[in-house]
Amino acid sequence: MKIKRNKSLSPEPSSSRDIKRAKLEEVTYSNGVIVSPNILEFSDDVLLNILKYLYPQDLMAVSLCCRRFAQLTQDRTLWKRVDFRTKPILPDDLNKYIKFLQPMTMSLALRGKLLSDETSALTEHFFNNFFNNVRSLCNQLKELIIEEYYINGNKIQITDFPCTIEKLSLEGCKMDYMQSNKSYFFKMDLHMPNLTCLILSKCDWFTPHSLLVISKIPNLKELRLNSCHRLGECVAYASLATRFGFKTLEILDLRDTSLGDSEVGCFSSTKTLTHLYLECPSTCSNDESSEVIQQQQRQRQALRLPILEDNNLAQFLVEDGFPLENYGFQRCLVSDRAICALGSDTCDRKVINSSPQGMIIVQEDRRISNKPNLKTLVVRNYPRVTNSSLIHLALNASRLEYLDVTGTSVTREGVVAFKSQKANVKIVSSFDEI
């Protein structure tokens, strides 16, 4: 039975022109000296197997050696996944690689250098020229990674990117001249209906209202917004986005953002969520000294003393001498409240009565409990996450496989108790020896 080698897309594969090379002897002697075979004496299949380990920049250098290598380096099998990120590549240098791109190119990754606006800027002229060629040559492109470039948001729209991609990453990119009247991702859900992964890590230009547009992407499964420092105090946007969108979201990365309990709690209604990553920004965690935490605990204890309480209603008054501005609560910190909300939906509360003095009496929170589907939960460096979160997760998170509570206020005893109930869960904490 004969096995045919995959056909190359090269116009004239060298193997089709040359006479079949004789099989190399294992050892060749010349005047008693062992002579190593020349690399050009290897077959195309052997050379292609070597070339597949080279990066695009290396393949370009090899292609300049001789005519045979020039044709071999254009083989379609070498350009299925193209990754230029080994070192920064300037936009002007990308055009010379157009001839290597193939219809079966599935992935394209680029990395710039954010030291000069001019050298790493994706201009409108370059973008249209380069990506027009990409769209025409790589009609099956599924993955596009663009890192650490300057992008003119006014000239380059999200609809200018290839519409076939399933994974888009703009990690570390800088965006200038963005339109103020609409989100940069406007109509993204219509332009990229097959998008399943969106990575916007370290994008300081990302604004909270963009959550509404992103939540409409029908097949989005992975969203990474870590180190998006403008993503804060967006309860309204998060509430609307999670209530009406994110129907297929499974992986959510919110590390190093200033989101708090209210925003994180909104994602408790996202029933498809399986991986959640939270980590307190260093600017917030450093402010939480033990003395401040103890003071806040005393203040919270004081607030728990009700003046009037029954089975359904509760009123709380703040005593004179204990002003709210001294409470010291930082919104950007996640606490047990957010963790214990995972796996439950908060129902709208009804106003029971309102007094002329301005006090409003509402129904007690009503929650519909659902078992959370979380498999991985990372909650790092939040001092307000305590053993209460461990107790909740041990009782309710039946599918949990990995838990990281490093830098929180959980105790050694709490971790031991959690492991006794969830022996199949790998837990990482500040007590590594457990």
Side-chain angles (χ1 to χ4, degrees), residues 153-154 176-184 207 209 230 237:
N154 189 35
D176 294 326
Y177 308 107
M178 295 177 61
Q179 298 184 23
S180 58
N181 59 342
K182 66 179 180 180
S183 167
Y184 181 74
T207 51
H209 70 279
R230 293 184 63 183
Y237 299 117

Side-chain angles (χ1 to χ4, degrees), residues 173-433:
C173 288
K174 302 295 183 182
M175 187 78 67
D176 294 326
Y177 308 107
M178 295 177 61
Q179 298 184 23
S180 58
N181 59 342
K182 66 179 180 180
S183 167
Y184 181 74
F185 303 97
F186 182 63
K187 292 187 177 180
M188 186 180 190
D189 55 319
L190 301 176
H191 180 66
M192 301 179 184
N194 299 322
L195 191 70
T196 60
C197 176
L198 179 60
I199 300 176
L200 301 173
S201 306
K202 302 176 184 178
C203 292
D204 290 335
W205 47 269
F206 183 83
T207 51
H209 70 279
S210 294
L211 281 175
L212 293 175
V213 181
I214 293 175
S215 69
K216 298 178 183 179
I217 302 175
N219 298 307
L220 187 65
K221 294 183 178 180
E222 180 176 353
L223 177 61
R224 297 193 179 271
L225 300 174
N226 51 301
S227 300
C228 292
H229 297 138
R230 293 184 63 183
L231 189 63
E233 299 193 9
C234 58
V235 181
Y237 299 117
S239 178
L240 290 172
T242 53
R243 178 172 295 187
F244 301 107
F246 291 129
K247 299 301 182 182
T248 58
L249 187 64
E250 297 178 0
I251 301 174
L252 178 63
D253 191 345
L254 297 175
R255 293 173 297 167
D256 191 27
T257 62
S258 56
L259 297 184
D261 285 339
S262 299
E263 292 86 358
V264 175
C266 291
F267 286 93
S268 63
S269 60
T270 307
K271 298 178 177 58
T272 56
L273 195 64
T274 58
H275 295 69
L276 178 60
Y277 301 90
L278 304 169
E279 184 169 0
C280 184
S282 57
T283 54
C284 293
S285 59
N286 292 338
D287 294 338
E288 292 292 328
S289 63
S290 58
E291 182 179 352
V292 173
I293 294 176
Q294 292 176 1
Q295 180 183 1
Q296 291 173 351
Q297 288 175 347
R298 292 194 296 268
Q299 293 172 348
R300 286 196 295 271
Q301 185 63 32
L303 283 177
R304 290 195 186 101
L305 299 176
I307 293 179
L308 175 63
E309 185 174 4
D310 55 31
N311 293 332
N312 298 311
L313 308 177
Q315 295 184 30
F316 297 91
L317 293 179
V318 179
E319 297 180 356
D320 294 336
F322 180 55
L324 278 175
E325 57 268 19
N326 293 333
Y327 184 45
F329 182 78
Q330 295 184 12
R331 287 194 64 262
C332 64
L333 293 183
V334 172
S335 69
D336 292 328
R337 173 190 164 198
I339 306 303
C340 294
L342 295 174
S344 62
D345 297 332
T346 304
C347 298
D348 294 334
R349 294 182 295 175
K350 181 180 179 182
V351 176
I352 300 298
N353 192 13
S354 60
S355 63
Q357 291 77 18
M359 180 174 293
I360 300 177
I361 304 175
V362 297
Q363 278 185 332
E364 187 180 23
D365 278 352
R366 293 183 300 130
R367 289 185 176 271
I368 302 175
S369 297
N370 299 303
K371 296 294 183 182
N373 292 319
L374 283 179
K375 295 181 179 179
T376 298
L377 177 60
V378 175
V379 189
R380 295 173 58 92
N381 301 327
Y382 286 105
R384 293 191 178 95
V385 173
T386 67
N387 290 340
S388 298
S389 293
L390 294 181
I391 295 173
H392 171 78
L393 294 172
L395 293 175
N396 297 283
S398 58
R399 301 185 181 181
L400 194 64
E401 299 174 357
Y402 181 88
L403 176 63
D404 187 347
V405 288
T406 304
T408 62
S409 295
V410 301
T411 63
R412 185 189 304 270
E413 293 75 14
V415 175
V416 172
F418 179 86
K419 287 192 68 65
S420 65
Q421 300 179 61
K422 308 287 287 187
N424 60 326
V425 177
K426 177 177 175 55
I427 180 171
V428 179
S429 67
S430 300
F431 314 103
D432 294 333
E433 68 276 8

Side-chain angles (χ1 to χ4, degrees), residues 30-302:
S30 177
N31 297 326
V33 179
I34 298 177
V35 179
S36 300
N38 189 291
I39 190 172
L40 291 176
E41 295 177 349
F42 289 113
S43 67
D44 287 353
D45 289 333
V46 173
L47 291 176
L48 287 172
N49 193 47
I50 296 173
L51 293 175
K52 72 180 182 180
Y53 293 100
L54 301 184
Y55 290 103
Q57 294 92 330
D58 301 322
L59 289 174
M60 170 64 78
V62 171
S63 70
L64 303 177
C65 294
C66 64
R67 183 178 298 178
R68 186 181 176 205
F69 275 140
Q71 293 183 350
L72 281 176
T73 52
Q74 294 189 46
D75 191 276
R76 63 179 183 178
T77 61
L78 301 177
W79 299 93
K80 186 175 182 179
R81 303 185 66 85
V82 186
D83 193 341
F84 291 95
R85 290 177 296 173
T86 53
K87 59 181 180 180
I89 183 168
L90 301 180
D92 293 339
D93 295 333
L94 284 171
N95 289 318
K96 61 186 179 183
Y97 290 92
I98 290 294
K99 63 180 181 180
F100 294 103
L101 299 181
Q102 306 285 351
M104 71 175 299
T105 300
M106 306 287 289
S107 174
L108 178 61
L110 317 171
R111 181 169 69 90
K113 191 175 183 180
L114 293 177
L115 294 180
S116 171
D117 292 3
E118 298 179 357
T119 57
S120 283
L122 298 182
T123 62
E124 182 182 16
H125 173 72
F126 161 79
F127 197 91
N128 292 334
N129 183 36
F130 180 76
F131 278 99
N132 280 339
N133 290 323
V134 169
R135 279 191 290 266
S136 61
L137 293 173
C138 312
N139 51 22
Q140 299 183 44
L141 189 67
K142 303 297 183 183
E143 182 178 271
L144 179 60
I145 300 174
I146 301 176
E147 298 179 353
E148 299 182 24
Y149 281 99
Y150 284 95
I151 301 177
N152 187 325
N154 189 35
K155 300 294 184 180
I156 302 174
Q157 306 296 325
I158 194 65
T159 51
D160 294 326
F161 291 88
C163 61
T164 59
I165 57 177
E166 298 176 0
K167 176 180 179 180
L168 174 64
S169 174
L170 300 177
E171 180 175 350
C173 288
K174 302 295 183 182
M175 187 78 67
D176 294 326
Y177 308 107
M178 295 177 61
Q179 298 184 23
S180 58
N181 59 342
K182 66 179 180 180
S183 167
Y184 181 74
F185 303 97
F186 182 63
K187 292 187 177 180
M188 186 180 190
D189 55 319
L190 301 176
H191 180 66
M192 301 179 184
N194 299 322
L195 191 70
T196 60
C197 176
L198 179 60
I199 300 176
L200 301 173
S201 306
K202 302 176 184 178
C203 292
D204 290 335
W205 47 269
F206 183 83
T207 51
H209 70 279
S210 294
L211 281 175
L212 293 175
V213 181
I214 293 175
S215 69
K216 298 178 183 179
I217 302 175
N219 298 307
L220 187 65
K221 294 183 178 180
E222 180 176 353
L223 177 61
R224 297 193 179 271
L225 300 174
N226 51 301
S227 300
C228 292
H229 297 138
R230 293 184 63 183
L231 189 63
E233 299 193 9
C234 58
V235 181
Y237 299 117
S239 178
L240 290 172
T242 53
R243 178 172 295 187
F244 301 107
F246 291 129
K247 299 301 182 182
T248 58
L249 187 64
E250 297 178 0
I251 301 174
L252 178 63
D253 191 345
L254 297 175
R255 293 173 297 167
D256 191 27
T257 62
S258 56
L259 297 184
D261 285 339
S262 299
E263 292 86 358
V264 175
C266 291
F267 286 93
S268 63
S269 60
T270 307
K271 298 178 177 58
T272 56
L273 195 64
T274 58
H275 295 69
L276 178 60
Y277 301 90
L278 304 169
E279 184 169 0
C280 184
S282 57
T283 54
C284 293
S285 59
N286 292 338
D287 294 338
E288 292 292 328
S289 63
S290 58
E291 182 179 352
V292 173
I293 294 176
Q294 292 176 1
Q295 180 183 1
Q296 291 173 351
Q297 288 175 347
R298 292 194 296 268
Q299 293 172 348
R300 286 196 295 271
Q301 185 63 32

